[in-house]
Amino acid sequence: MRRSRQPATPHSFLNAERIHIPMQRAETADTPHSLPPQIEHVASCSLPTAWASFQLHAFVEKNTGKEHLAMVLGDVGSGEPVLARLHSECLTGDALFSQRCDCGEQLENAMRRIAEEGRGVLLYLRQEGRGIGLINKIRAYQLQESGVDTVEANHHLGFADDLRNYAVCKPMLAHFGIRSLKLMTNNPRKLDSMKRLDIQAERVEHVVTSNPFNAEYLAAKASKLGHLLTSANPHAPADDGVNS
């Protein structure tokens, strides 16, 4: 039988660690005071995977020191639209196989689809937890186990819904001569960001099958963040009450 969960109060959420963080607002590519990031391409190597052998490129943001990756396959500088994925880092989903989110499956599916196309690019952006960082994401998971959703957890921790900034994508894509994307995404904010950056982007649906552990997380992304997930196969939340 499913255990009932009583919503916890903000005080009980934060009592143990006494976290007091001023609300951080999202800075998108068109935020007036945002400066275009300065990117340095530092190295590249081959990256053989189960799907194809990609060329892996390492970039560093000069002003923040953040490190980003680009996985490239085939000739992407011809001027034709390039199949692409802008993937924000998710250590728990990408590397630890967590089922609390859909990130790992989206990453694998993007690599597979690029391999099938024979041409494409995947930008791996160091924006863990929609920009709040790994430790704060774990804090958010703890709050979610008390009954709030992924957006509400951000707010309880003092963060906006989504702190990711896609401005870094422009100089990374320009490095390869990419001006037009067939963008694998369910997030309209990514499409809006590309438009503000003067990068042509046509959406390619990238919905993966939900599971009992991420059904509520995906529902919150659809209802509160506007993600286009209508073709997902919903599951009931798990009996143990663990949801993200």
Side-chain angles (χ1 to χ4, degrees), residues 167-219:
V168 68
C169 298
K170 185 169 186 175
M172 292 177 71
L173 293 171
H175 179 82
F176 304 107
I178 298 174
R179 300 184 298 273
S180 180
L181 305 177
K182 295 184 292 183
L183 186 58
M184 293 179 279
T185 185
N186 307 313
N187 185 356
R189 296 186 188 187
K190 287 185 182 179
L191 295 169
D192 291 343
S193 291
M194 294 302 101
K195 182 177 181 180
R196 289 191 292 267
L197 292 168
D198 294 322
I199 299 171
Q200 297 180 16
E202 174 189 355
R203 182 193 175 220
V204 175
E205 185 180 272
H206 200 53
V207 178
V208 299
T209 302
S210 66
N211 66 66
F213 297 98
N214 68 16
E216 289 185 5
Y217 164 78
L218 295 178

Side-chain angles (χ1 to χ4, degrees), residues 7 22 25 38 44 51 62 69 85 107 193 203 216 230:
R25 306 187 70 84
Q38 293 184 316
S44 65
W51 303 277
K62 292 183 178 181
L69 300 173
R85 169 76 181 161
L107 176 61
S193 291
R203 182 193 175 220
E216 289 185 5
T230 54

Side-chain angles (χ1 to χ4, degrees), residues 1-240:
M1 178 180 296
R2 178 188 170 95
R3 296 202 304 263
S4 61
R5 293 178 295 168
Q6 295 297 322
T9 64
H11 173 78
S12 62
F13 284 148
L14 304 180
N15 185 53
E17 300 181 18
R18 297 291 183 185
I19 303 169
H20 298 287
I21 308 171
M23 175 67 78
Q24 297 185 23
R25 306 187 70 84
E27 255 188 40
T28 55
D30 63 343
T31 303
H33 62 275
S34 294
L35 297 176
Q38 293 184 316
I39 289 290
E40 180 183 3
H41 180 270
V42 295
S44 65
C45 67
S46 62
L47 183 71
T49 72
W51 303 277
S53 184
F54 293 83
Q55 193 70 16
L56 183 66
H57 298 262
F59 294 84
V60 176
E61 285 188 59
K62 292 183 178 181
N63 56 330
T64 65
K66 282 189 176 180
E67 301 164 335
H68 306 284
L69 300 173
M71 298 174 60
V72 177
L73 183 67
D75 178 11
V76 296
S78 65
E80 295 296 317
V82 175
L83 184 63
R85 169 76 181 161
L86 312 179
H87 190 88
S88 296
E89 176 185 31
C90 176
L91 177 68
T92 51
D94 298 342
L96 302 181
F97 313 108
S98 170
Q99 295 188 37
R100 298 184 70 117
C101 62
D102 55 346
C103 303
E105 191 172 356
Q106 284 192 321
L107 176 61
E108 290 191 15
N109 283 358
M111 294 171 66
R112 175 183 54 79
R113 294 173 76 171
I114 290 172
E116 291 172 352
E117 182 99 348
R119 175 175 175 269
V121 61
L122 187 148
L123 301 189
Y124 195 84
L125 308 173
R126 304 299 296 276
Q127 303 190 114
E128 179 78 52
R130 297 201 304 276
I132 69 174
L134 178 61
I135 299 303
N136 283 320
K137 185 175 81 168
I138 304 306
R139 288 184 175 126
Y141 280 168
Q142 181 177 336
L143 295 180
Q144 290 165 47
E145 291 181 357
S146 299
V148 301
D149 64 35
T150 181
V151 173
E152 294 165 344
N154 270 33
H155 295 169
H156 280 295
L157 289 173
F159 298 111
D161 300 352
D162 192 337
L163 290 173
R164 290 175 292 182
N165 188 325
Y166 297 103
V168 68
C169 298
K170 185 169 186 175
M172 292 177 71
L173 293 171
H175 179 82
F176 304 107
I178 298 174
R179 300 184 298 273
S180 180
L181 305 177
K182 295 184 292 183
L183 186 58
M184 293 179 279
T185 185
N186 307 313
N187 185 356
R189 296 186 188 187
K190 287 185 182 179
L191 295 169
D192 291 343
S193 291
M194 294 302 101
K195 182 177 181 180
R196 289 191 292 267
L197 292 168
D198 294 322
I199 299 171
Q200 297 180 16
E202 174 189 355
R203 182 193 175 220
V204 175
E205 185 180 272
H206 200 53
V207 178
V208 299
T209 302
S210 66
N211 66 66
F213 297 98
N214 68 16
E216 289 185 5
Y217 164 78
L218 295 178
K221 286 212 299 184
S223 65
K224 295 189 175 183
L225 300 178
H227 286 218
L228 307 173
L229 300 173
T230 54
S231 64
N233 181 21
H235 286 74
D239 289 343
D240 62 3

